[in-house]
Amino acid sequence: MAASSSSSSRRVDNGYGASSQQQQAGSRRRKGPGTLATAYLVIYNVVMTAGSPVKYKCNRLIKVGVTLTSCKKHDFMVQSEDSILLFVIAWTVTEIIRYSFYTFSLLNHLPYLIKWARYTLFIVLYPMGVSGELLTIYAALPFVRQSGLYSISLPNKYNFSFDYYTFLILVMMSYIPLFPQLYFHMLHQRRKVLSPAEEQKKAE
């Protein structure tokens, strides 16, 4: 009877349909990606880190909107605004740190300096990048309003109207609720990852 009881206790599934032995086996199987997957992810992160300056010089402008490209075509040089430099530098440095963090984490050899930079420099870089984006959009607003860029007015066969100027203003306003959520989330992550208790736990 005791042996039966002992056998039953080992088969307790805690309500999740799997025994403790199965859960332990599952946790061992979920240790991390395989060798090929790790190699691919390391190469990907290295390439992304090396390409971040070019990537953000060419492509991050899209996040601000196609306004920049369009204004250039119409000889309204928004690209000459100092705000462009703000967000290009901020997001380039952010991505270099981020992909370096991913690469060394995959190799299980993460230098403390990179981890510290990942969870500290955003305090300056995030506001800097967001400010650059908002200032760039704001600089483009007069031209967008005057030219009617990407706006669709009635009447038309689709019976649909769209005001790109208003859309850009709404995009700028969306930063008000969204950016604090991201920023305070990162602050919470920083306290969690860089806390002395966390460091001591990992050392053990």
Side-chain angles (χ1 to χ4, degrees), residues 27-162:
S27 64
R28 285 195 295 269
R29 287 195 298 268
R30 291 193 298 269
K31 280 185 177 179
T35 304
L36 288 177
T38 300
Y40 166 77
L41 291 171
V42 168
I43 293 172
Y44 173 82
N45 286 316
V46 168
V47 171
M48 292 300 292
T49 301
S52 288
V54 177
K55 171 188 172 186
Y56 273 82
K57 187 174 182 181
C58 298
N59 295 335
R60 185 67 184 186
L61 302 182
I62 297 175
K63 186 179 185 302
V64 179
V66 290
T67 305
L68 291 173
T69 305
S70 301
C71 289
K72 181 177 181 180
K73 289 179 180 178
H74 291 82
D75 297 324
F76 186 79
M77 298 299 293
V78 178
Q79 288 87 344
S80 64
E81 294 288 328
D82 294 336
S83 55
I84 297 289
L85 192 61
L86 273 180
F87 74 78
V88 168
I89 291 176
W91 299 138
T92 297
V93 174
T94 297
E95 291 299 279
I96 289 174
I97 294 171
R98 183 161 70 101
Y99 285 110
S100 298
F101 176 87
Y102 292 158
T103 300
F104 284 107
S105 295
L106 286 167
L107 296 172
N108 294 318
H109 185 69
L110 179 62
Y112 180 79
L113 179 62
I114 291 180
K115 182 169 75 169
W116 179 88
R118 165 74 169 141
Y119 291 101
T120 301
L121 295 185
F122 79 89
I123 296 174
V124 174
L125 292 175
Y126 279 22
M128 178 179 167
V130 167
S131 298
E133 291 181 358
L134 290 173
L135 288 172
T136 302
I137 296 174
Y138 181 78
L141 285 178
F143 171 80
V144 172
R145 186 173 191 176
Q146 181 180 3
S147 65
L149 183 69
Y150 299 134
S151 296
I152 303 174
S153 58
L154 291 171
N156 58 68
K157 63 179 180 179
Y158 300 108
N159 198 28
F160 170 80
S161 64
F162 174 74

Side-chain angles (χ1 to χ4, degrees), residues 164-193:
Y164 189 55
Y165 176 82
T166 303
F167 172 76
L168 290 179
I169 293 176
L170 292 176
V171 168
M172 294 174 68
M173 291 176 63
S174 71
Y175 280 69
I176 297 174
L178 296 178
F179 174 70
Q181 293 184 41
L182 171 64
Y183 195 71
F184 287 118
H185 170 74
M186 287 300 296
L187 287 175
H188 174 74
Q189 291 295 104
R190 182 179 190 276
R191 288 192 295 268
K192 180 180 177 181
V193 173

